[in-house]
Amino acid sequence: MLLTSMAKRIDRRSDQPVPPNIDIQIEHWPIERLIPRANNPRTHSPAQIAAIAASILEFGWTNPVLVGAENDIVAGHARVLAARKLGMKEVPIILLKHLSEAQRRALVIADNQLSIAGAGWDAEMLRIELALLQDADYDLTLVGFDEVELARLLEAQDAAEGLTDEDAVPDLPEAPTTVPGDLWTLGD
């Protein structure tokens, strides 16, 4: 199906593929100039908006809002809500004048879906990265996982470090800690 869509991007005059638009300019617009899409199918919880606001404070603004030719928000509704929560007056945007209304509608969906469709985590690598951040005393709540999921991931990391085969027998130490005749006192 993707190849069929790509086949439509042929210049009829030259029979050559039309290259994707990579000529982008980042502008700074007042938030009031942006028009949220009334029919945006993506929903955002207050907790997600708060997490995005915390992310903006921690990392800065890392992803401009995508705006259509009619000042409509194509992608970045949650970032704009987070900016409002932070009291920001303007945000970085990329103006997509070249998109038709149908393309803007499709991008509203594709921008969200393509970031999750077919994506996953390398569980072991994720555990390692989270453990390194934890060892550096980094606030792990800023990476987007809730506390329950973080605990599960880090618990799995801790368990993975100490796993042994149940039939494994440790090597005997050269100098044993206890020898016959020792008396140990345990508690009262």
Side-chain angles (χ1 to χ4, degrees):
M1 187 152 126
L2 182 58
L3 291 177
T4 305
S5 295
M6 289 176 64
K8 293 178 185 176
R9 303 279 183 233
I10 302 292
D11 186 327
R12 288 178 173 66
R13 293 168 289 174
S14 65
D15 289 333
Q16 296 296 313
V18 176
N21 179 29
I22 60 169
D23 185 25
I24 60 172
Q25 297 288 323
I26 296 176
E27 302 175 20
H28 293 89
W29 279 19
I31 290 178
E32 284 70 34
R33 187 173 174 188
L34 302 173
I35 302 169
R37 290 185 72 87
N39 54 350
N40 180 23
R42 191 67 164 174
T43 61
H44 305 286
S45 69
Q48 182 198 24
I49 300 305
I52 292 170
S55 175
I56 291 169
L57 288 174
E58 178 70 10
F59 307 118
W61 199 282
T62 60
N63 193 0
V65 177
L66 304 182
V67 178
E70 297 169 2
N71 297 358
D72 54 314
I73 300 173
V74 175
H77 288 85
R79 292 187 297 278
V80 170
L81 291 171
R84 287 181 193 271
K85 183 177 185 69
L86 294 172
M88 296 175 70
K89 301 297 180 208
E90 66 177 26
V91 296
I93 67 106
I94 296 174
L95 185 58
L96 304 174
K97 290 181 189 177
H98 65 285
L99 297 181
S100 69
E101 175 59 24
Q103 287 175 316
R104 289 195 314 260
R105 284 181 185 278
L107 185 54
V108 167
I109 298 167
D111 183 70
N112 289 291
Q113 185 59 23
L114 292 175
S115 67
I116 58 173
W121 292 104
D122 177 324
E124 184 60 26
M125 189 60 64
L126 178 59
R127 286 185 192 102
I128 290 168
E129 289 297 313
L130 289 171
L132 289 170
L133 286 170
Q134 185 179 44
D135 290 346
D137 291 326
Y138 192 80
D139 183 359
L140 292 179
T141 62
L142 294 170
V143 300
F145 291 103
D146 65 31
E147 291 178 10
V148 173
E149 186 69 4
L150 282 172
R152 185 190 66 76
L153 289 164
L154 291 168
E155 180 180 283
Q157 174 68 24
D158 294 341
E161 292 173 3
L163 291 179
T164 58
D165 178 21
E166 63 185 50
D167 294 326
V169 177
D171 294 330
L172 292 175
E174 289 186 31
T177 304
T178 302
V179 293
D182 282 352
L183 180 63
W184 288 80
T185 304
L186 303 173
D188 294 335

PDB file of all heavy atoms in Angstrom, residues 9 37 74 96-110:
ATOM      1  N   ARG A   9       3.315  10.052  -6.466  1.00  0.00           N
ATOM      2  CA  ARG A   9       4.175  11.215  -6.344  1.00  0.00           C
ATOM      3  C   ARG A   9       5.148  11.318  -7.521  1.00  0.00           C
ATOM      4  O   ARG A   9       6.303  11.617  -7.354  1.00  0.00           O
ATOM      5  CB  ARG A   9       4.958  11.158  -5.035  1.00  0.00           C
ATOM      6  CG  ARG A   9       4.084  11.061  -3.813  1.00  0.00           C
ATOM      7  CD  ARG A   9       3.560  12.415  -3.422  1.00  0.00           C
ATOM      8  NE  ARG A   9       2.785  12.306  -2.211  1.00  0.00           N
ATOM      9  CZ  ARG A   9       1.556  12.761  -2.097  1.00  0.00           C
ATOM     10  NH1 ARG A   9       0.979  13.365  -3.089  1.00  0.00           N
ATOM     11  NH2 ARG A   9       0.905  12.612  -0.979  1.00  0.00           N
ATOM     12  N   ARG A  37      -7.935  22.359  15.982  1.00  0.00           N
ATOM     13  CA  ARG A  37      -8.896  21.687  15.092  1.00  0.00           C
ATOM     14  C   ARG A  37     -10.077  21.206  15.936  1.00  0.00           C
ATOM     15  O   ARG A  37      -9.904  20.467  16.891  1.00  0.00           O
ATOM     16  CB  ARG A  37      -8.248  20.521  14.386  1.00  0.00           C
ATOM     17  CG  ARG A  37      -7.223  20.945  13.341  1.00  0.00           C
ATOM     18  CD  ARG A  37      -6.692  19.757  12.588  1.00  0.00           C
ATOM     19  NE  ARG A  37      -7.665  19.195  11.681  1.00  0.00           N
ATOM     20  CZ  ARG A  37      -7.843  19.604  10.421  1.00  0.00           C
ATOM     21  NH1 ARG A  37      -7.119  20.587   9.938  1.00  0.00           N
ATOM     22  NH2 ARG A  37      -8.729  19.030   9.653  1.00  0.00           N
ATOM     23  N   VAL A  74      -2.191  21.396  13.020  1.00  0.00           N
ATOM     24  CA  VAL A  74      -2.207  20.081  12.389  1.00  0.00           C
ATOM     25  C   VAL A  74      -1.627  19.049  13.362  1.00  0.00           C
ATOM     26  O   VAL A  74      -2.153  17.960  13.520  1.00  0.00           O
ATOM     27  CB  VAL A  74      -1.412  20.102  11.061  1.00  0.00           C
ATOM     28  CG1 VAL A  74      -1.323  18.712  10.454  1.00  0.00           C
ATOM     29  CG2 VAL A  74      -2.038  21.088  10.079  1.00  0.00           C
ATOM     30  N   LEU A  96       2.789  24.809   7.204  1.00  0.00           N
ATOM     31  CA  LEU A  96       2.677  23.837   6.113  1.00  0.00           C
ATOM     32  C   LEU A  96       1.701  24.350   5.061  1.00  0.00           C
ATOM     33  O   LEU A  96       0.624  23.787   4.864  1.00  0.00           O
ATOM     34  CB  LEU A  96       2.226  22.477   6.671  1.00  0.00           C
ATOM     35  CG  LEU A  96       3.092  21.889   7.778  1.00  0.00           C
ATOM     36  CD1 LEU A  96       2.464  20.624   8.348  1.00  0.00           C
ATOM     37  CD2 LEU A  96       4.493  21.603   7.267  1.00  0.00           C
ATOM     38  N   LYS A  97       2.068  25.406   4.360  1.00  0.00           N
ATOM     39  CA  LYS A  97       1.198  26.013   3.348  1.00  0.00           C
ATOM     40  C   LYS A  97       0.956  25.073   2.168  1.00  0.00           C
ATOM     41  O   LYS A  97      -0.053  25.186   1.487  1.00  0.00           O
ATOM     42  CB  LYS A  97       1.828  27.298   2.809  1.00  0.00           C
ATOM     43  CG  LYS A  97       1.854  28.438   3.767  1.00  0.00           C
ATOM     44  CD  LYS A  97       2.476  29.642   3.075  1.00  0.00           C
ATOM     45  CE  LYS A  97       2.724  30.763   4.039  1.00  0.00           C
ATOM     46  NZ  LYS A  97       3.380  31.904   3.395  1.00  0.00           N
ATOM     47  N   HIS A  98       1.882  24.175   1.907  1.00  0.00           N
ATOM     48  CA  HIS A  98       1.814  23.331   0.723  1.00  0.00           C
ATOM     49  C   HIS A  98       0.818  22.176   0.828  1.00  0.00           C
ATOM     50  O   HIS A  98       0.528  21.527  -0.164  1.00  0.00           O
ATOM     51  CB  HIS A  98       3.207  22.769   0.405  1.00  0.00           C
ATOM     52  CG  HIS A  98       3.725  21.839   1.470  1.00  0.00           C
ATOM     53  ND1 HIS A  98       4.195  22.288   2.678  1.00  0.00           N
ATOM     54  CD2 HIS A  98       3.831  20.493   1.492  1.00  0.00           C
ATOM     55  CE1 HIS A  98       4.579  21.257   3.407  1.00  0.00           C
ATOM     56  NE2 HIS A  98       4.364  20.152   2.716  1.00  0.00           N
ATOM     57  N   LEU A  99       0.267  21.934   2.015  1.00  0.00           N
ATOM     58  CA  LEU A  99      -0.648  20.802   2.182  1.00  0.00           C
ATOM     59  C   LEU A  99      -2.081  21.178   1.832  1.00  0.00           C
ATOM     60  O   LEU A  99      -2.565  22.247   2.213  1.00  0.00           O
ATOM     61  CB  LEU A  99      -0.610  20.289   3.625  1.00  0.00           C
ATOM     62  CG  LEU A  99       0.713  19.724   4.131  1.00  0.00           C
ATOM     63  CD1 LEU A  99       0.552  19.240   5.563  1.00  0.00           C
ATOM     64  CD2 LEU A  99       1.216  18.613   3.231  1.00  0.00           C
ATOM     65  N   SER A 100      -2.758  20.276   1.154  1.00  0.00           N
ATOM     66  CA  SER A 100      -4.190  20.457   0.884  1.00  0.00           C
ATOM     67  C   SER A 100      -4.961  20.167   2.171  1.00  0.00           C
ATOM     68  O   SER A 100      -4.407  19.626   3.141  1.00  0.00           O
ATOM     69  CB  SER A 100      -4.637  19.493  -0.213  1.00  0.00           C
ATOM     70  OG  SER A 100      -4.599  18.150   0.273  1.00  0.00           O
ATOM     71  N   GLU A 101      -6.246  20.481   2.186  1.00  0.00           N
ATOM     72  CA  GLU A 101      -7.075  20.180   3.348  1.00  0.00           C
ATOM     73  C   GLU A 101      -7.079  18.679   3.637  1.00  0.00           C
ATOM     74  O   GLU A 101      -6.982  18.257   4.788  1.00  0.00           O
ATOM     75  CB  GLU A 101      -8.504  20.691   3.142  1.00  0.00           C
ATOM     76  CG  GLU A 101      -9.479  20.301   4.260  1.00  0.00           C
ATOM     77  CD  GLU A 101      -9.092  20.797   5.654  1.00  0.00           C
ATOM     78  OE1 GLU A 101      -8.359  21.798   5.781  1.00  0.00           O
ATOM     79  OE2 GLU A 101      -9.520  20.155   6.640  1.00  0.00           O
ATOM     80  N   ALA A 102      -7.159  17.859   2.605  1.00  0.00           N
ATOM     81  CA  ALA A 102      -7.146  16.397   2.804  1.00  0.00           C
ATOM     82  C   ALA A 102      -5.814  15.953   3.386  1.00  0.00           C
ATOM     83  O   ALA A 102      -5.771  15.096   4.278  1.00  0.00           O
ATOM     84  CB  ALA A 102      -7.415  15.681   1.481  1.00  0.00           C
ATOM     85  N   GLN A 103      -4.710  16.526   2.928  1.00  0.00           N
ATOM     86  CA  GLN A 103      -3.402  16.170   3.472  1.00  0.00           C
ATOM     87  C   GLN A 103      -3.286  16.599   4.932  1.00  0.00           C
ATOM     88  O   GLN A 103      -2.719  15.879   5.756  1.00  0.00           O
ATOM     89  CB  GLN A 103      -2.285  16.805   2.646  1.00  0.00           C
ATOM     90  CG  GLN A 103      -2.084  16.141   1.296  1.00  0.00           C
ATOM     91  CD  GLN A 103      -1.051  16.875   0.459  1.00  0.00           C
ATOM     92  OE1 GLN A 103      -1.048  18.110   0.388  1.00  0.00           O
ATOM     93  NE2 GLN A 103      -0.173  16.102  -0.172  1.00  0.00           N
ATOM     94  N   ARG A 104      -3.820  17.777   5.264  1.00  0.00           N
ATOM     95  CA  ARG A 104      -3.785  18.219   6.662  1.00  0.00           C
ATOM     96  C   ARG A 104      -4.592  17.278   7.541  1.00  0.00           C
ATOM     97  O   ARG A 104      -4.151  16.890   8.615  1.00  0.00           O
ATOM     98  CB  ARG A 104      -4.294  19.662   6.788  1.00  0.00           C
ATOM     99  CG  ARG A 104      -3.331  20.675   6.205  1.00  0.00           C
ATOM    100  CD  ARG A 104      -3.603  22.107   6.619  1.00  0.00           C
ATOM    101  NE  ARG A 104      -4.958  22.579   6.556  1.00  0.00           N
ATOM    102  CZ  ARG A 104      -5.457  23.327   5.578  1.00  0.00           C
ATOM    103  NH1 ARG A 104      -4.716  23.652   4.537  1.00  0.00           N
ATOM    104  NH2 ARG A 104      -6.700  23.741   5.640  1.00  0.00           N
ATOM    105  N   ARG A 105      -5.782  16.888   7.073  1.00  0.00           N
ATOM    106  CA  ARG A 105      -6.601  15.941   7.844  1.00  0.00           C
ATOM    107  C   ARG A 105      -5.848  14.631   8.061  1.00  0.00           C
ATOM    108  O   ARG A 105      -5.866  14.062   9.155  1.00  0.00           O
ATOM    109  CB  ARG A 105      -7.914  15.645   7.127  1.00  0.00           C
ATOM    110  CG  ARG A 105      -8.941  16.713   7.210  1.00  0.00           C
ATOM    111  CD  ARG A 105     -10.215  16.262   6.463  1.00  0.00           C
ATOM    112  NE  ARG A 105     -11.174  17.318   6.435  1.00  0.00           N
ATOM    113  CZ  ARG A 105     -12.009  17.605   7.429  1.00  0.00           C
ATOM    114  NH1 ARG A 105     -11.988  16.884   8.526  1.00  0.00           N
ATOM    115  NH2 ARG A 105     -12.853  18.602   7.322  1.00  0.00           N
ATOM    116  N   ALA A 106      -5.206  14.160   7.007  1.00  0.00           N
ATOM    117  CA  ALA A 106      -4.466  12.890   7.109  1.00  0.00           C
ATOM    118  C   ALA A 106      -3.275  13.033   8.048  1.00  0.00           C
ATOM    119  O   ALA A 106      -2.987  12.129   8.838  1.00  0.00           O
ATOM    120  CB  ALA A 106      -4.005  12.448   5.722  1.00  0.00           C
ATOM    121  N   LEU A 107      -2.575  14.161   7.987  1.00  0.00           N
ATOM    122  CA  LEU A 107      -1.399  14.351   8.848  1.00  0.00           C
ATOM    123  C   LEU A 107      -1.781  14.459  10.315  1.00  0.00           C
ATOM    124  O   LEU A 107      -1.030  14.022  11.182  1.00  0.00           O
ATOM    125  CB  LEU A 107      -0.600  15.581   8.398  1.00  0.00           C
ATOM    126  CG  LEU A 107       0.714  15.831   9.144  1.00  0.00           C
ATOM    127  CD1 LEU A 107       1.625  14.600   9.110  1.00  0.00           C
ATOM    128  CD2 LEU A 107       1.427  17.047   8.568  1.00  0.00           C
ATOM    129  N   VAL A 108      -2.967  15.007  10.609  1.00  0.00           N
ATOM    130  CA  VAL A 108      -3.446  15.052  11.996  1.00  0.00           C
ATOM    131  C   VAL A 108      -3.431  13.640  12.586  1.00  0.00           C
ATOM    132  O   VAL A 108      -3.000  13.418  13.717  1.00  0.00           O
ATOM    133  CB  VAL A 108      -4.869  15.663  12.079  1.00  0.00           C
ATOM    134  CG1 VAL A 108      -5.493  15.419  13.445  1.00  0.00           C
ATOM    135  CG2 VAL A 108      -4.834  17.145  11.754  1.00  0.00           C
ATOM    136  N   ILE A 109      -3.866  12.675  11.803  1.00  0.00           N
ATOM    137  CA  ILE A 109      -3.913  11.279  12.259  1.00  0.00           C
ATOM    138  C   ILE A 109      -2.531  10.641  12.160  1.00  0.00           C
ATOM    139  O   ILE A 109      -2.044  10.024  13.110  1.00  0.00           O
ATOM    140  CB  ILE A 109      -4.946  10.485  11.436  1.00  0.00           C
ATOM    141  CG1 ILE A 109      -6.349  11.072  11.643  1.00  0.00           C
ATOM    142  CG2 ILE A 109      -4.916   8.997  11.805  1.00  0.00           C
ATOM    143  CD1 ILE A 109      -7.389  10.585  10.664  1.00  0.00           C
ATOM    144  N   ALA A 110      -1.875  10.801  11.010  1.00  0.00           N
ATOM    145  CA  ALA A 110      -0.591  10.134  10.768  1.00  0.00           C
ATOM    146  C   ALA A 110       0.482  10.562  11.761  1.00  0.00           C
ATOM    147  O   ALA A 110       1.284   9.739  12.211  1.00  0.00           O
ATOM    148  CB  ALA A 110      -0.114  10.408   9.343  1.00  0.00           C
TER     149      ALA A 110
END
